[in-house]
Amino acid sequence: MEKLKYVGQSSVRIDGKEKVSGAALFTDDLEFGPDLLYAEIVEGPHAHAMINSIDTSEAENIPEVLCVVTGKDFPYNFGLYMKDRFIFAQDRVRFFGEQIAAVVARTPEAAKKAAKLVRVNYSPLPKVLSPVDAVKKDADLIHPDLKHYEHVPWFFPKPDSNIAHHRKIRKGDVEKGFAEADYVLDDTYEVPRYAHCAIEYHAAVAKYDHSGRLTVWASSQSPHTQRNLFASALAPMGITHNDVRVIAPHVGGGFGSKAGVTMEIIAAAIATKVKGHPVKVLWNREREFYNTYQRLGVTANLKVGVKKDGRITALHHELYWDAGAYVEYGANVVNAVGLSAIGPYRVDNASIDSYCVYTNLPPGGPYRGFGYSEFLFGLESHMERIARHLGIDPVEIRRRNAIKAGDLTAYGARMNPNGLQQAIDAVEKEIRWEKKLVSKDPDIAIGKGFSLFWKAPAMPPNTSSSCFLKFNEDASVNLLVSGMDIGQGFLTVMAQIAAEVLSVPVFKIRTENPDTDRNPYEWQTVASHVTWGCGNAVKLAAVDARNQILALVSRTHYFPVETLFLEDEQVKCMTRPDFSLPLKDFVIAGIQMEDGTFKGGPIIGRGVFMPEYASTKANPETSQGGHPNVHYTVGAAAAIIEIDRRTGKVKVKKIVEAVDCGKAINPDLVKGQITGGILQGISTVLYEEMKFDHRAKMLNPNFTDYKIPTSLDLPDEVVPIIIEVPEPDGPYGARGMGEHTMIPVAPMIANAIEDALGIRIRSMPITSEKICLAILDRQKND
Amino acid sequence: MKKISFSLNGEQRFVYITPNEILLDVLRYKMGTKSPKCGCDTGDCGACTILLNGKAVRSCLIFAVEVESQDIVTLEGISRDGLTPLQKALIEHNAFQCGYCAPGMILSATELINSNPHPGEEEIKEAISGNLCRCTGYQPVIDAIKHATKKH
Amino acid sequence: MALPYEFDYAKPASLQDVLVLLAEKGRGARILAGGTDLANELKQGFRVPDVLIDIKGLAELQKIEIRDQRLSIGALVTFSDIRLSGVIRDHAYVLYEAAGLVASPGVRNRATMVGNICSAVACMDSASPLLVHNAMVHCLSMEGERLVPVQKWFVDNRKTLIKEKELVTHVSIPLSSVKCAGAYQKMMRYTGEDLAAANVGVLLFADGRCHVAFGSVGPTPKRSAKLESHFKTKGVNKGSIEEACAMLPGIIKPISDVRASKEYRMHMTKVMLERAVIQAIDRLKVPTLIRG
């Protein structure tokens, strides 16, 4: 194995100093001068209604208002995977709070005042709030034009219905599998919607200058995708990709909410109406909840058949996703789960029906875990229940069924090398699974729960990453990439990869969040794929630069190139131990020859990575035949909890989580993802709960009543375990793990609750109230 | 418009405001002090925390007019003379991820350390309990504060 | 950005000036102390005044002191001040305990207890403690001081007996000549900052009296005479506590809202009542302490 100096080290973050000193600037921290304009959004107060008329005249008369724009100004569709969205509502609103219009003014006060004076006349329509209702035959249609929407070729909308996509898996013989089963468990699980709750709001500032240049500064996970969607949505106005520039400052948390395009397009569009001025659109906490993406809700019917020894003979998973009013991104969550809802198990006979269903609730979209937390809540609850029924140890049943490298996935491709068995063993040992714990306090019940997890990056097969790498005079390096550091430590990890190849210390490598004019293409920072995808591009760029360096020195010093190597910022030669040439002597200036001429010139590397084996071409009736997922990252986790039997309050005592990240480029950052992801997972299962009133208006769009954990709500102990079974095409064997860390938490806690109380709760969240009322209910029935 | 003056990060500053202006907005948009952030505007998240006469407070719940003749310190003021041992420990522990909550968190911890140089873990958790962080799970932040304040 | 409403601001240098201004402005004036509730209310456009009267210039309102066998807590005393006050810990322990559960330290550094009972939001933390401590609210106007027992202070959610032109200068609590101990229990969705979905304050005296108050289970926080006489007749013991819990459905009227269902509130109030009384019994056993 090659000896690594920078990769595998827990380097401190290269953005650490900026962030603890207050130097880090986020979008709303940027200054745009006295010509800055402010936009305020007008929202619809109906979950579903036709818009009869919009009267902006009163608003336009408010002093300092420049203009009021509505859907009429921008009759364009847009969307990432399916063009079903509009910049402003056109003839109807489809969720409570949808944007109808925007007022642009010199001051935020004037904009706000005028926005209240935009008069809209509506005719309310019946609203559809659950996916189960929405698929009924007589359900009202939310998108009558569904059949006309453009979409990616791997989506299968059902015209004249509320089903925007149906991902179907048919593998083996499911009927036969169930017939062979000794035990079949069939049940339904409910997972509601959740909010990302990044602490920074969405923010975008756009300027369309008099030369026709559109620049957008945005808090973004996806600068290039935003550029692409802005350019294609605004193409009818004559705007091209070349005209659009997206600049992404620091991002105060994403978790999926700042992927794709949501409110940013409002800024981009408005700017075209106030040429020459920068215009700011700043979301607020309420809108963060109801008008960005929400995590999709799901009702999952799950049927699993097993032999007496616990081996799975068949699985049928039917998922009805509450995808909300627009599914341009959320439909791909549905698709991803459709491909993977067998979980990390070997299942020879499987059928999956994953339905993307329109509802009159806020648009569902990407959220850390991309649907896997949701379906694994049911599946991992199910596995525990089956084990208990059969009298098999819940860890053992997982070990027996765990997928191995080379096994066939649900869509018939081969599973990648992975450390799932090692993860199970490591977690079982660390949590002391066999040891039953009993509290001395009769009010306290103790339980243990286990869960496996897996997740693949969900992305188009031609997703790509690229990198430019340039040396400076002192042999420091600028790494230009377009992945976003949204907190996960992406930039640090990229610097470590380049450092390794070039023998340049991490602190001498500067890499910052991108500007699409300067930095090369990256699809998006989502799907936990950038360490792998962009990491490959960075490594290739660094190798390219290294090859140039070695070729140059070979040419000037007449050493065979294969004898040259880099060490400690110098070129060295295997056959000439006395030779060394510092990089700083020539990476810009070149190398001077005896005749006084110079050879070489600035060293600039380039790297491009695309997984050329991926394909979504498959039989739509079975999903067999393609290779839609590049690889899965797997792992295992377990928890010990205490429950107050009187109040239902859960205290998490210990969580152990093992994740196979292939290679931990920076172990400390991997552990940081585990610690943070686990708490986010705990929060979704125990605390967070979105509430809507009869109008489908969200009742708790604030941190007062949508509770995310504080420092007083931590588990007593978290033990992160890193497993490293290398990914064959990952940089140094690495694969992504950022989202995965929260995925096992909900079922694991539900399992621990059952272990403690003997009560199985099949719907999230599992709040103190829900547990307590279940205990009381049982007492009543006893 | 009313002229108010106060000490901001050790410098005497003045600004013209109306009584309906919130301190957070005045600091950010009129005085160029960008480290206090807005994350909820209702006092729940703590991202706007500043030190007012040494006490960590929510600048989103204070009218600018109230700080006439008072003393305000933001993260810019903490960093002015180089990084503090707390800030250094936070870097060493990779304590923050996105960093948006960092300014508020650091000021809450600074108030704690000023009044209690060697706090216990529970005191640390209590002190930062009003600063919401969605990324880190808090433990790395707590570990860093513990490290910066342990007895030598 | 500025709030979309305009108002004036005054920071009088003397109590007299505050009263004069209050007399002049009447309902158009709002008192600004910590401002944590006020700023949020004004952001929502709730009770927007013509003038904010900032009382933070009045040093006399910052005091925590014992005068004439009464513990007096001034209108500028914050919840952080309460947590740092040995006098309050020793003489009004229920309040001391509750203060530590108000919001988070950054809010407690600014929010005042008097502000809390003047905003009078049903879920406030100060009310149950003040009720069991038999506190008195001191209202001052040009016409002189008016005393309102805290039992009568709360009229409805966000509504108190304060009159136009009055300022609450302080709250006073009688020192108990009888040894006593208390406890505060708060129903929260998790350990971190939360508004009380219900709360219980208990103050148990060595002579057998037991004061009990509930918050957030009706439009106003309330003492329960029924429970108190129950404890008086039956004594405070396991059996009487159990009976007290069984009586609760006739005493409190919780509602269902975004924070909890009425069923869970009812159940939790029983659990909290039981736990608070048992805590108070245990605390009363501590030898030397007289803790209100």
Side-chain angles (χ1 to χ4, degrees):
Chain A
M1 231 175 122
E2 63 185 314
K3 201 161 171 289
L4 301 172
K5 189 169 176 190
Y6 298 107
V7 163
Q9 298 301 310
S10 286
S11 313
V12 299
R13 298 176 64 104
I14 60 173
D15 54 357
K17 194 170 177 181
E18 242 183 305
K19 286 176 174 172
V20 306
S21 65
L25 294 180
F26 298 80
T27 301
D28 190 44
D29 297 339
L30 304 179
E31 293 284 354
F32 294 90
D35 207 22
L36 177 66
L37 304 178
Y38 301 83
E40 178 64 26
I41 306 301
V42 180
E43 302 169 336
H46 295 282
H48 199 192
M50 297 306 293
I51 300 170
N52 301 323
S53 63
I54 303 177
D55 180 358
T56 60
S57 53
E58 219 180 320
E60 278 159 0
N61 284 333
I62 297 292
E64 298 195 296
V65 167
L66 277 81
C67 65
V68 182
V69 297
T70 69
K72 280 206 179 70
D73 297 293
F74 306 102
Y76 319 129
N77 292 59
F78 76 97
L80 186 63
Y81 293 106
M82 173 183 270
K83 293 191 175 177
D84 71 349
R85 266 201 108 154
F86 310 92
I87 300 170
F88 295 99
Q90 299 290 307
D91 57 340
R92 69 165 84 197
V93 285
R94 295 181 172 86
F95 68 96
F96 196 105
E98 182 168 0
Q99 66 273 13
I100 309 286
V103 175
V104 186
R106 281 272 166 207
T107 66
E109 293 84 359
K112 207 162 217 158
K113 188 172 171 189
K116 288 201 176 101
L117 301 173
V118 174
R119 312 286 176 205
V120 188
N121 183 275
Y122 301 93
S123 296
L125 295 168
K127 52 188 178 292
V128 186
L129 300 180
S130 92
V132 177
D133 291 342
V135 296
K136 286 181 183 156
K137 276 212 170 66
D138 56 346
D140 292 278
L141 293 187
I142 296 171
H143 285 265
D145 289 337
L146 174 60
K147 54 180 168 289
H148 303 303
Y149 294 154
E150 276 178 56
H151 58 79
V152 290
W154 69 88
F155 278 6
F156 306 104
K158 285 201 172 7
D160 302 314
S161 84
N162 286 318
I163 297 174
H165 176 41
H166 176 193
R167 169 55 59 187
K168 220 170 162 178
I169 291 270
R170 296 294 180 265
K171 180 194 178 197
D173 187 338
V174 176
E175 262 181 53
K176 188 164 156 264
F178 280 119
E180 284 168 9
D182 295 319
Y183 174 62
V184 175
L185 180 62
D186 190 350
D187 211 340
T188 300
Y189 299 88
E190 299 272 355
V191 180
R193 293 167 161 257
Y194 286 96
H196 305 75
C197 299
I199 310 297
E200 182 206 22
Y201 304 153
H202 283 67
V205 179
K207 181 177 178 178
Y208 187 53
D209 71 19
H210 293 293
S211 75
R213 182 100 241 245
L214 177 65
T215 306
V216 182
W217 294 260
S219 177
S220 170
Q221 293 179 235
S222 314
H224 279 86
T225 285
Q226 293 189 335
R227 183 184 67 173
N228 186 30
L229 293 193
F230 296 160
S232 49
L234 302 175
M237 306 180 74
I239 290 172
T240 67
H241 284 75
N242 192 245
D243 294 328
V244 183
R245 176 182 181 190
V246 176
I247 298 174
H250 282 291
V251 175
F255 313 106
S257 72
K258 291 165 183 164
V261 169
T262 56
M263 55 76 81
E264 305 81 12
I265 201 163
I266 296 176
I270 290 174
T272 63
K273 301 292 177 194
V274 283
K275 232 175 171 179
H277 299 276
V279 55
K280 184 190 281 189
V281 182
L282 180 58
W283 244 218
N284 56 30
R285 182 49 59 193
E286 292 192 344
R287 287 195 183 118
E288 284 298 310
F289 280 99
Y290 64 69
N291 195 356
T292 59
Y293 297 124
Q294 294 182 348
R295 191 169 111 175
L296 286 71
V298 71
T299 301
N301 302 321
L302 176 61
K303 185 175 167 187
V304 175
V306 291
K307 300 298 277 184
K308 279 196 190 93
D309 64 1
R311 270 185 311 110
I312 299 172
T313 60
L315 174 149
H316 175 62
H317 215 158
E318 194 178 58
L319 303 111
Y320 293 91
W321 293 89
D322 163 14
Y326 300 99
V327 305
E328 45 89 23
Y329 203 149
N332 209 42
V333 173
V334 176
N335 191 68
V337 170
L339 294 168
S340 301
I342 57 168
Y345 296 110
R346 182 186 155 156
V347 183
D348 295 333
N349 306 303
S351 61
I352 301 170
D353 290 286
S354 190
Y355 297 98
C356 178
V357 186
Y358 283 120
T359 60
N360 291 117
L361 286 164
Y367 177 113
R368 188 182 201 171
F370 213 67
Y372 286 71
S373 297
E374 294 89 305
F375 86 76
L376 275 171
F377 175 69
L379 183 57
E380 283 300 283
S381 295
H382 228 61
M383 291 305 284
E384 192 96 0
R385 294 169 68 187
I386 290 169
R388 285 173 192 279
H389 179 86
L390 296 176
I392 301 174
D393 182 277
V395 175
E396 192 48 38
I397 198 172
R398 291 178 168 98
R399 192 179 274 124
R400 281 179 200 167
N401 288 293
I403 197 163
K404 294 186 175 69
D407 285 347
L408 292 181
T409 60
Y411 45 84
R414 298 274 168 201
M415 178 64 185
N416 51 285
N418 68 83
L420 187 53
Q421 295 287 350
Q422 292 99 305
I424 295 172
D425 294 347
V427 171
E428 184 187 36
K429 186 166 173 235
E430 174 61 35
I431 203 83
R432 301 187 64 190
W433 181 254
E434 73 298 339
K435 193 167 188 262
K436 185 80 191 159
L437 300 172
V438 183
S439 171
K440 285 180 195 126
D441 182 342
D443 279 355
I444 298 296
I446 303 181
K448 282 184 182 171
F450 206 90
S451 177
L452 303 189
F453 58 96
W454 82 338
K455 185 188 175 293
M459 50 192 208
N462 58 340
T463 293
S464 60
S465 303
S466 53
C467 172
F468 293 149
L469 182 157
K470 55 190 182 105
F471 269 97
N472 302 315
E473 289 82 346
D474 61 351
S476 65
V477 171
N478 285 82
L479 205 54
L480 278 77
V481 290
S482 291
M484 288 299 303
D485 202 313
I486 55 173
Q488 80 283 49
F490 163 75
L491 295 174
T492 305
V493 164
M494 293 305 110
Q496 285 179 262
I497 290 172
E500 189 64 52
V501 175
L502 298 171
S503 83
V504 172
V506 175
F507 70 85
K508 286 186 77 175
I509 298 179
R510 185 170 285 280
T511 173
E512 296 182 338
N513 287 327
D515 166 342
T516 56
D517 261 19
R518 314 276 187 263
N519 297 38
Y521 182 83
E522 169 64 55
W523 172 57
Q524 304 192 80
T525 298
V526 298
S528 304
H529 89 291
V530 286
T531 294
W532 166 79
C534 196
N536 273 324
V538 167
K539 192 174 177 199
L540 289 167
V543 167
D544 182 26
R546 182 179 67 189
N547 289 345
Q548 293 172 38
I549 289 167
L550 301 185
L552 173 64
V553 174
S554 169
R555 183 154 64 100
T556 55
H557 289 72
Y558 312 108
F559 297 129
V561 72
E562 61 276 11
T563 64
L564 296 173
F565 63 100
L566 299 180
E567 191 176 83
D568 299 333
E569 302 178 77
Q570 301 167 72
V571 180
K572 293 190 176 174
C573 181
M574 291 177 209
T575 55
R576 285 282 304 277
D578 56 325
F579 172 78
S580 73
L581 186 61
L583 294 174
K584 66 177 165 48
D585 289 0
F586 69 91
V587 285
I588 293 290
I591 295 174
Q592 192 168 28
M593 306 301 286
E594 277 183 9
D595 65 356
T597 60
F598 285 83
K599 305 294 176 209
I603 300 293
I604 296 174
R606 74 177 271 282
V608 170
F609 176 74
M610 185 186 271
E612 294 187 342
Y613 50 88
S615 164
T616 52
K617 217 168 167 186
N619 179 344
E621 291 306 311
T622 64
S623 297
Q624 305 299 310
H627 197 307
N629 288 336
V630 289
H631 57 251
Y632 286 90
T633 297
V634 299
I640 302 173
I641 61 164
E642 286 183 358
I643 307 174
D644 183 333
R645 296 177 203 270
R646 303 287 308 286
T647 64
K649 187 168 175 175
V650 173
K651 169 78 193 158
V652 180
K653 302 300 287 182
K654 181 171 180 170
I655 289 189
V656 181
E657 184 176 295
V659 57
D660 177 11
C661 57
K663 171 74 190 171
I665 308 279
N666 184 322
D668 204 32
L669 297 184
V670 169
K671 288 175 186 167
Q673 287 304 299
I674 294 177
T675 313
I678 283 175
L679 192 63
Q680 195 169 355
I682 287 175
S683 185
T684 53
V685 63
L686 294 179
Y687 309 133
E688 294 174 41
E689 186 165 22
M690 241 177 224
K691 304 215 170 171
F692 295 90
D693 70 6
H694 64 282
R695 296 170 298 168
K697 179 186 187 210
M698 192 177 162
L699 286 169
N700 53 342
N702 50 61
F703 290 141
T704 311
D705 284 311
Y706 186 94
K707 304 306 286 182
I708 66 169
T710 74
S711 54
L712 299 173
D713 305 292
L714 311 184
D716 285 351
E717 188 186 3
V718 171
V719 182
I721 297 173
I722 295 172
I723 309 281
E724 295 180 315
V725 174
E727 185 58 37
D729 72 346
Y732 299 97
R735 62 173 86 79
M737 51 72 62
E739 294 168 274
H740 306 72
T741 56
M742 81 174 281
I743 294 174
V745 179
M748 165 172 88
I749 298 287
N751 292 339
I753 290 168
E754 185 180 35
D755 185 46
L757 300 172
I759 293 175
R760 169 57 59 179
I761 296 178
R762 293 164 302 148
S763 64
M764 286 174 65
I766 310 182
T767 55
S768 309
E769 167 160 356
K770 197 182 273 180
I771 295 171
C772 187
L773 295 181
I775 295 171
L776 292 174
D777 209 40
R778 186 174 60 181
Q779 284 166 1
K780 228 183 285 168
N781 295 332
D782 277 354
Chain B
M1 283 286 187
K2 187 175 160 66
K3 180 180 173 181
I4 58 165
S5 56
F6 55 97
S7 166
L8 176 58
N9 296 325
E11 188 188 344
Q12 200 60 33
R13 300 278 302 271
F14 67 86
V15 62
Y16 288 90
I17 51 113
T18 52
N20 59 353
E21 288 186 71
I22 297 291
L23 179 59
L24 172 63
D25 297 338
V26 171
L27 289 173
R28 287 178 53 79
Y29 303 126
K30 286 192 166 176
M31 318 211 53
T33 309
K34 303 288 189 176
S35 77
K37 310 291 184 209
C38 185
C40 68
D41 211 26
T42 49
D44 291 308
C45 80
C48 67
T49 302
I50 58 162
L51 294 182
L52 175 59
N53 305 325
K55 298 262 189 205
V57 297
R58 308 288 209 233
S59 62
C60 78
L61 296 183
I62 294 174
F63 295 99
V65 65
E66 294 179 71
V67 302
E68 166 68 41
S69 306
Q70 314 286 306
D71 179 63
I72 289 177
V73 175
T74 66
L75 187 55
E76 287 88 345
I78 301 280
S79 309
R80 206 181 38 183
D81 304 319
L83 298 180
T84 62
L86 170 64
Q87 287 169 305
K88 287 177 188 158
L90 290 162
I91 294 175
E92 287 301 317
H93 283 76
N94 283 323
F96 292 111
Q97 292 186 24
C98 83
Y100 196 77
C101 70
M105 194 83 86
I106 293 170
L107 290 168
S108 292
T110 300
E111 186 201 7
L112 170 72
I113 296 169
N114 287 345
S115 62
N116 182 0
H118 308 294
E121 177 148 343
E122 292 312 309
E123 290 168 313
I124 293 169
K125 286 183 180 175
E126 179 67 30
I128 60 168
S129 64
N131 295 89
L132 294 179
C133 167
R134 189 59 153 173
C135 299
T136 64
Y138 301 100
Q139 198 59 51
V141 179
I142 295 164
D143 292 344
I145 299 173
K146 258 200 318 210
H147 182 84
T149 56
K150 69 172 182 233
K151 286 187 182 142
H152 292 287
Chain C
M1 86 173 230
L3 303 188
Y5 327 95
E6 288 182 7
F7 43 81
D8 292 331
Y9 170 85
K11 190 175 181 183
S14 74
L15 201 49
Q16 183 63 21
D17 292 349
V18 172
L19 300 180
V20 169
L21 199 54
L22 267 175
E24 184 189 321
K25 299 286 181 180
R27 289 175 70 88
R30 289 196 70 180
I31 299 292
L32 169 60
T36 51
D37 278 342
L38 184 67
N40 272 331
E41 285 186 9
L42 296 191
K43 284 179 187 183
Q44 292 161 19
F46 183 72
R47 293 202 294 210
V48 178
D50 301 327
V51 60
L52 285 184
I53 305 178
D54 188 347
I55 57 171
K56 287 191 287 294
L58 309 177
E60 61 266 51
L61 302 185
Q62 280 167 6
K63 285 183 197 154
I64 300 169
E65 59 183 356
I66 290 177
R67 246 187 332 196
D68 309 329
Q69 285 303 295
R70 292 186 80 84
L71 167 64
S72 159
I73 301 169
L76 289 173
V77 172
T78 64
F79 288 107
S80 291
D81 295 334
I82 292 176
R83 289 299 291 176
L84 293 172
S85 163
V87 178
I88 294 181
R89 195 190 55 224
D90 289 347
H91 296 288
Y93 190 80
V94 188
L95 179 63
Y96 173 80
E97 192 167 27
L101 293 172
V102 174
S104 62
V107 173
R108 295 201 287 270
N109 275 342
R110 193 86 177 155
T112 65
M113 184 207 71
V114 167
N116 194 228
I117 62 161
C118 286
S119 301
V121 180
C123 60
M124 76 196 117
D125 285 300
S126 317
S128 296
L130 292 176
L131 282 164
V132 296
H133 285 300
N134 267 338
M136 191 70 86
V137 184
H138 296 247
C139 304
L140 191 66
S141 70
M142 295 291 278
E143 284 149 35
E145 190 178 53
R146 184 170 70 98
L147 299 183
V148 183
V150 80
Q151 272 89 327
K152 293 188 178 158
W153 178 249
F154 303 105
V155 178
D156 203 345
N157 186 31
R158 294 176 182 268
K159 211 163 170 229
T160 69
L161 269 191
I162 196 163
K163 291 184 179 162
E164 257 182 71
K165 307 179 185 179
E166 274 183 347
L167 170 74
V168 176
T169 55
H170 61 286
V171 165
S172 69
I173 292 171
L175 301 189
S176 176
S177 52
V178 181
K179 188 178 173 188
C180 58
Y184 179 74
Q185 289 267 335
K186 176 171 177 177
M187 174 179 168
M188 299 155 84
R189 284 165 288 191
Y190 56 19
T191 311
E193 165 176 4
D194 197 8
L195 297 170
N199 67 55
V200 179
V202 165
L203 187 62
L204 180 64
F205 295 83
D207 60 13
R209 282 175 297 145
C210 184
H211 293 175
V212 184
F214 302 97
S216 223
V217 285
T220 61
K222 272 201 173 83
R223 281 269 288 271
S224 170
K226 213 168 158 187
L227 280 185
E228 292 180 11
S229 70
H230 165 76
F231 283 126
K232 202 167 177 183
T233 16
K234 296 280 179 79
V236 179
N237 50 54
K238 203 164 169 260
S240 72
I241 295 170
E242 223 166 86
E243 286 162 12
C245 291
M247 290 162 67
L248 271 186
I251 293 168
I252 59 170
K253 287 188 182 57
I255 56 159
S256 293
D257 65 12
V258 73
R259 282 169 209 147
S261 68
K262 59 184 175 193
E263 294 79 13
Y264 188 47
R265 276 195 164 97
M266 177 60 78
H267 170 77
M268 282 297 290
T269 309
K270 291 179 189 173
V271 176
M272 291 193 296
L273 174 63
E274 176 190 315
R275 288 182 176 177
V277 176
I278 289 171
Q279 257 174 348
I281 295 172
D282 290 343
R283 286 171 182 171
L284 198 59
K285 287 179 195 153
V286 177
T288 52
L289 234 48
I290 294 184
R291 272 186 175 167

